[in-house]
Amino acid sequence: MLLLRRILPGRNYCRRFSTSQSHLSDRKGLVLGVFEKDGEGHHLTEAAAGFDQSISGKLSELLKISGPSLKKGKSRLFYGLHEDFPCVAVVGLGKAESGFCGAENLDAGKENIRAAVSTGCRLMQDLEVKRVEVDGCGDAQSAAEGAALGLFSYDQLKSKKKTQVTTRLHGSADATGWAKGLVYAQGQNLARLLMEAPANHVTPTAFADIIEEKISAKVTVHKRSKAWIEEQQMGAFLSVSRGSEEPPVFLELHYRGAPDSAQPPLLLVGKGITFDSGGISLKPSQSMDAMRADMGGAATVCASVVTAAALQLPVNIIGLAPLCENMPSGKATKPGDVVIAKNGKTIQVDNTDAEGRLVLADALSYAHTFNPRAIVNVATLTGAMDVALGSAATGVFTNSDWLWEQLQKASVVTGDRVWRMPLFQHYTRQVTDSQLADLNNIGKYSRSGGACTAAAFLREFVTLPHWAHLDIAGVMSNKDEVPYLRKGMSGRPTRTLVEFAAGLTQNG
Ligand code: BES
Ligand code: ZN
Ligand code: ZN
């Protein structure tokens, strides 16, 4: 209070505090960034400096006297500084010269902006400020991503909801970057919504309906029925859906964005198990609820197609999502059963909990029928992937150095990292050793190298020279590792997939 009295002219001060309640709920907030300076003090961003100037240097004066210089990720709130912005959050962006960091394999400058802006916007949300202007911090796309990702929370099913905050760019610098960042973040938020929502709400049918609702005119949707799946002889996919009362759906999205509509498409394939109980090889009940997000591959893939269409990327993309539940019942597949995949290969299902590779086997075989330039499949495939990398990065298994480079380049920009994993024959030998069939759905030494044997299994359904399998089990959920995502299902790596697709347009 004293601080404010000293700085504000009395008249303004009084007027502000006599404001009516209804006016208060409509007050605007401002989020500004500051960089760390070598030694003491701050280096204001362009927008923060402009704001400071408009109030005769009061912001820098306050920053000086209100505590130690703001370090990366730290924030400070000021009230009553400006007539238009009763609340101002100043957030620490780290060093101004932060950029690509080889050791971390990401652009630290962008990542710092996302984290800082997210912190500032959440402070505003806690204060129930409904309209917030945000400093572009020199990279408006990253700022928009931080704002929209940071504010997201899944509270649709709660009576008490968080304040709805609308954000806009402060000033006019790089409005295009800001708009693009919002679209990228909205894509990831769509995936988060689908993953976080309970499995009794997001059934295979409901998933397909939600995506159909979000899709723009440039995308064709096919919701393939069980009869179609049978016609396609997708015996592996059907064997997983058999234990559930919910009918399976094979979702197919066609986005034609390339000027040449005959341009070979990018095929994105996502594992869509809307609930994975393990089937007859039932999972332990502890944390089984998290298996509502076992459609994270389908969610991120479909959200990426929606986003690519919203951005009007000049590329053709086909998204495929085999959607079903993995449940135990009298009709369910039993350990030791043999099923026949679409490509004619026989599979001994020794563990019904290794179901992701079964639904993907058929979807991958089908993907080849579109003469694709590349196939990328995304799946919450193995607990072993989480053991290997945790939530630091998505594991990428690929037969293509070119595809690896494209994915890795994209992930440096988005901060949603990837890490290359091996596809050795060593692992193939473990899945082609089956007593009854061509393949076994679990590796011979079951636990060892589980993420790698799963990838080797998938490769048995691929003939294309440019294929990548992304195991996202480790990045499926967020506790507090990614500072700009709240606790919950992460929607990762949607932005990396979109950035990757956008990169393909530049690569011919
Ligand atoms: N959906 C799970 C993998 C998973 C685990 C994803 C934890 C996210 C978090 C998958 O279907 C599964 O159960 N895999 C088994 C394979 C095993 C039976 C060979 C696993 O990882 O234990
Ligand atoms: Zn499973
Ligand atoms: Zn699963």
Side-chain angles (χ1 to χ4, degrees):
M1 279 308 170
L2 268 178
L3 201 75
L4 287 171
R5 268 182 209 284
R6 217 181 309 145
I7 283 160
L8 287 165
R11 199 172 58 87
N12 271 352
Y13 176 80
C14 292
R15 202 174 58 199
R16 201 148 289 109
F17 285 87
S18 64
T19 337
S20 73
Q21 216 33 52
S22 67
H23 185 83
L24 265 180
S25 67
D26 198 33
R27 66 208 194 279
K28 244 195 311 183
L30 179 61
V31 174
L32 294 172
V34 292
F35 294 105
E36 269 171 47
K37 220 161 134 185
D38 278 338
E40 265 305 284
H42 300 99
H43 167 55
L44 303 187
T45 61
E46 219 178 287
F51 179 79
D52 191 37
Q53 216 173 29
S54 76
I55 51 169
S56 323
K58 279 172 200 150
L59 179 67
S60 26
E61 194 183 323
L62 273 180
L63 277 169
K64 233 179 272 166
I65 59 175
S66 59
S69 65
L70 267 184
K71 295 271 176 278
K72 186 175 91 179
K74 298 283 178 216
S75 57
R76 211 158 287 159
L77 271 170
F78 299 106
Y79 302 99
L81 266 182
H82 193 285
E83 203 168 356
D84 296 340
F85 303 103
C87 312
V88 177
V90 181
V91 292
L93 297 167
K95 296 234 155 51
E97 58 278 12
S98 307
F100 170 68
C101 173
E104 289 297 323
N105 212 36
L106 49 67
D107 186 318
K110 290 182 186 298
E111 202 64 356
N112 291 349
I113 294 171
R114 291 183 193 104
V117 167
S118 148
T119 303
C121 289
R122 279 189 210 154
L123 283 169
M124 294 293 162
Q125 191 174 43
D126 291 345
L127 292 168
E128 298 179 8
V129 176
K130 289 185 182 144
R131 290 184 299 148
V132 177
E133 290 199 10
V134 177
D135 180 353
C137 302
D139 183 339
Q141 180 176 348
S142 301
E145 288 173 2
L149 292 171
L151 286 168
F152 176 89
S153 69
Y154 181 76
D155 52 15
Q156 288 188 3
L157 304 174
K158 293 189 178 195
S159 338
K160 195 170 181 311
K161 302 187 197 314
K162 286 197 187 296
T163 304
Q164 282 281 331
V165 180
T166 49
T167 55
R168 51 178 288 201
L169 180 64
H170 181 65
S172 55
D174 197 11
T176 315
W178 174 265
K180 192 170 154 197
L182 285 187
V183 177
Y184 270 61
Q186 280 156 6
Q188 183 167 350
N189 287 347
L190 171 59
R192 288 164 93 183
L193 175 102
L194 288 163
M195 291 169 75
E196 188 73 327
N200 63 332
H201 288 216
V202 180
T203 59
T205 309
F207 182 109
D209 291 345
I210 296 169
I211 290 297
E212 191 178 28
E213 244 172 57
K214 302 274 173 196
I215 228 85
S216 68
K218 275 212 159 184
V219 185
T220 320
V221 184
H222 301 280
K223 297 189 278 187
R224 312 291 195 186
S225 67
K226 187 175 170 209
W228 181 91
I229 301 165
E230 282 166 350
E231 261 166 43
Q232 290 290 319
Q233 300 186 300
M234 294 183 168
F237 177 27
L238 283 166
S239 79
V240 177
S241 71
R242 193 161 295 141
S244 168
E245 293 293 318
E246 287 292 338
V249 177
F250 192 96
L251 184 63
E252 197 175 313
L253 311 174
H254 291 240
Y255 166 61
R256 286 177 198 85
D260 171 10
S261 62
Q263 187 197 73
L266 163 66
L267 255 290
L268 297 177
V269 184
K271 169 180 171 181
I273 302 296
T274 59
F275 188 73
D276 182 10
S277 71
I280 298 297
S281 313
L282 196 64
K283 284 182 179 295
S285 51
Q286 202 190 9
S287 303
M288 203 203 267
D289 71 287
M291 287 298 109
R292 67 182 183 279
D294 207 23
M295 27 57 81
T300 53
V301 157
C302 294
S304 300
V305 178
V306 171
T307 309
L311 293 166
Q312 300 191 314
L313 297 183
V315 62
N316 293 337
I317 309 177
I318 296 178
L320 303 177
L323 298 157
C324 72
E325 288 185 343
N326 184 24
M327 296 290 280
S329 86
K331 292 203 178 110
T333 296
K334 305 167 288 298
D337 284 0
V338 174
V339 300
I340 309 175
K342 181 174 167 61
N343 71 349
K345 290 200 182 186
T346 54
I347 306 165
Q348 182 174 334
V349 182
D350 270 348
N351 191 318
T352 64
D353 196 13
E355 84 298 338
R357 62 199 78 182
L358 297 175
V359 305
L360 287 174
D362 283 338
L364 285 169
S365 300
Y366 181 60
H368 284 75
T369 64
F370 295 99
N371 180 33
R373 68 198 284 201
I375 300 178
V376 175
N377 75 255
V378 187
T380 49
L381 205 65
T382 63
M385 192 66 243
D386 183 38
V387 173
L389 300 182
S391 60
T394 291
V396 177
F397 301 79
T398 179
N399 57 2
S400 161
D401 291 343
W402 169 77
L403 208 45
W404 162 246
E405 274 165 28
Q406 301 307 309
L407 286 162
Q408 118 108 3
K409 202 172 70 182
S411 80
V412 166
V413 176
T414 62
D416 198 347
R417 289 181 291 206
V418 293
W419 193 255
R420 194 165 184 175
M421 300 286 290
L423 264 180
F424 300 140
Q425 284 298 322
H426 173 96
Y427 302 112
T428 304
R429 284 195 286 275
Q430 296 182 32
V431 290
T432 49
D433 184 343
S434 163
Q435 200 170 352
L436 306 173
D438 299 329
L439 296 166
N440 192 308
N441 83 325
I442 47 169
K444 196 157 64 168
Y445 311 115
S446 88
R447 273 176 50 82
S448 306
C452 308
T453 49
F457 180 94
L458 293 182
R459 197 183 28 187
E460 293 302 301
F461 299 87
V462 174
T463 53
L464 200 74
H466 298 297
W467 161 71
H469 153 55
L470 275 54
D471 194 333
I472 58 166
V475 302
M476 179 180 83
S477 63
N478 195 58
K479 287 171 266 328
D480 55 8
E481 312 90 306
V482 181
Y484 49 88
L485 301 178
R486 286 196 169 103
K487 181 173 151 51
M489 299 308 170
S490 70
R492 293 171 66 187
T494 305
R495 287 179 304 112
T496 299
L497 291 173
V498 174
E499 184 68 18
F500 158 71
L504 288 187
T505 67
Q506 286 138 32
N507 280 285

